[in-house]
Amino acid sequence: MTVPETASRPHRGTIFQENGRILDHHDAGADQWILRVHAPECARAAQPGQFAHLQCAPRLLMRRPLSIQRVDREAGWVEFLYKVVGDGTLALSQQAQGDTLSVLGPIGQPFRLHPERPKRLLLGGGVGIPPMIFLAHHLHLRGEAGQTHAVLGSEVPFPFHPRPSEILWPGLPHGAIATLPLLEDWGVACRLTSKAGIPGAHDGFVTDLARAWLKTLAPAERDQVELFACGPHPMLAACAELAAEFDLPCQVSLEEFMACAVGGCAGCTVPVRTPEGVAMKRVCVDGPVFAAADVFPEPERA
Amino acid sequence: MSDSRTDPRLALEFCGLHLNTPLVLLSGCVGFGEEYTRVAGFSNRDAGAICLKGTTGQARLGNAPHRVYETPDGMLNAIGLQNPGVDHVVDHTLPQLDFEETRFFANVSGSTIEEYIEVTRRFDDSPIDAIEINISCPNVKEGGVAFGNDPDMSARVVEACRKVTSKPLITKLSPNQTDIAENARRCIEAGTDAFAVINTLMGMAVDVENRRAVIGNNQGGLSGPAIKPIALLKVQQVYQVAAPHNVPIIGQGGVMNATDALEFLIAGASTVGVGTGLFYDPLCLPKILHGISDYMDRHGYTHVRDLTGTLQLNGAVSACAPPAPQDPAT
């Protein structure tokens, strides 16, 4: 019955708890905040799609899961973008630069990159934007930015200053010209969407631009596309529908209220289709990334 | 005391089992024993025992989301006994566990007495070290009232399980009842070897904007520091009944640090359960152990068992006595 402590247990010691100093924490408008924390172990190990479980204030019993937006492995920091939506994120927004924060991470299954589908379409909505930024940066570092496209949507002002893109992206509706400067600098074609009348952003949903682009592709090109999505539930359902429409694989990153975040409490489960039927899977360690077709089965899409 | 894990004063016997430390990781908080080892620096060896997730006869999917929600100094949970069923646990989960690191307790749940018997019998024929009975499940044959809310039904479950196992039986008592001491008395008569005190208190949270219950199951179990004072009182009450029979108690409910753990030991617990506290600080176990060792140094205790039940109650009579009549002349 005895098994060596790590040999047959690769999951052991993969999540780090670090008391990190807040290096930067600023209000990005519309209750959105950008937080950068020194957490070198988490920064070293994190992959796009993973998240960290943050102690927002010592007085709060439950941590809050936040998607990782960027890491700098050399400088040892992890960056998050979050919106104040409740007690936890409100308390977090009151933490100042120089304060210490307990970071538990990185956690979860990251996005999987398939070499046979090098054209990657990243779809982020609202606080679902951060994992797309992390993924775009990762692809940039791999030298694959030229094959990467991103559509980011928000119903409030974006937490960064959009600017007109100089990267051509044929086939999109007229007027969709604004981009996220960070992605532009990494060489990733990116466009923005909003129903809130943001100049340069397409007046519609992320799936509108995605559909417009996919329609322009020849079948052989389209077969090389994979979708990656994170955002509100209706947006993810629309992304799943879009992927099904074009018969493309789509990975979605989910969120749910979470207690332990290490797989112990089964508090964050969602129904997921498996070969054996529907199973309740933990968003924390079985996810947060799932195949869209498994979490948005046909009846819900219809 | 550089390593509390090796502090021999903290190792103890519990129902004839040797435990490394007096800390028990609570059922429902630590999955099936391996989940927390994902955290670097966490070791199952810091736990005297790990109580596995509630297990039923057949696999259960559990409740719809949301299953957890933060409340002042606590949290609500309604997981709904999601588990793969006892056969899967015995055949596939237990062989993956390292029994050299710690002790593993099963947690048996059921909707009928027959299901409790079936699950207990299956665990009896397994390497599991002890069996905890979760008597807080609804009894589907008698109107859905939790077995554990009624001393008679509690005793029937314990008696039935007792007949099919020789392993140590731990009865997890519910605070959602009128007289926990009477329930404990009946469970001792029915053959329990130990108690876990307490299970969660049932509670609710309301989303006022949408006028809905937040928890998918509408109601959930409240845990965390909010329930500690209640748990301490229940431990003290059960200890009065259990101590004469040498029936030990796992004291549990909102333990976050060494002081909390010491409170439970002093109130009558032999071991201390940690659950929700791990969500706050996954690396709290060595800190709690260090704190207990330090306390023992300061107070001259040579073994942790000597702390159990050392609570001194105040003289209630004088506190409640009416004020002395005043001299009418003044």
Side-chain angles (χ1 to χ4, degrees), chain A residues 26 28-29 32-34 69 81 126 129 154 156-161 180:
Chain A
H26 64 268
Q32 300 167 103
W33 291 76
I34 293 174
Q69 166 159 284
L81 161 67
I129 290 175
S154 179
V156 296
F158 284 91
F160 43 79
H161 299 294
L180 164 59

Side-chain angles (χ1 to χ4, degrees), chain B residues 171 173 177 179-185 188 194-198 231-244 247-249 267-268:
Chain B
T171 305
L173 294 177
Q177 59 178 316
D179 188 351
I180 199 170
E182 170 60 14
N183 196 315
R185 230 185 315 272
I188 293 169
F195 288 112
V197 183
I198 54 176
L232 284 168
L233 179 61
K234 301 298 178 191
V235 166
Q236 190 267 335
Q237 290 170 341
V238 172
Y239 180 70
Q240 304 305 313
V241 175
V247 172
I249 296 168

Side-chain angles (χ1 to χ4, degrees), chain B residues 102-115:
Chain B
T102 188
R103 298 287 186 171
F104 291 100
F105 297 171
N107 178 284
V108 170
S109 302
S111 301
T112 61
I113 288 187
E114 291 73 28
E115 188 175 8

Side-chain angles (χ1 to χ4, degrees), chain B residues 158-181:
Chain B
V158 174
E159 190 176 18
C161 295
R162 178 75 288 166
K163 284 180 182 160
V164 294
T165 185
S166 54
K167 291 185 190 282
L169 266 187
I170 304 156
T171 305
K172 190 169 188 172
L173 294 177
S174 167
N176 305 303
Q177 59 178 316
T178 311
D179 188 351
I180 199 170

Side-chain angles (χ1 to χ4, degrees), chain A residues 112-138:
Chain A
R112 285 165 298 276
L113 300 178
H114 301 110
E116 70 278 16
R117 290 188 179 270
K119 290 183 183 300
R120 297 180 180 107
L121 177 57
L122 282 45
L123 304 170
V127 289
I129 290 175
M132 296 306 139
I133 292 179
F134 194 4
L135 182 54
H137 190 228
H138 181 71

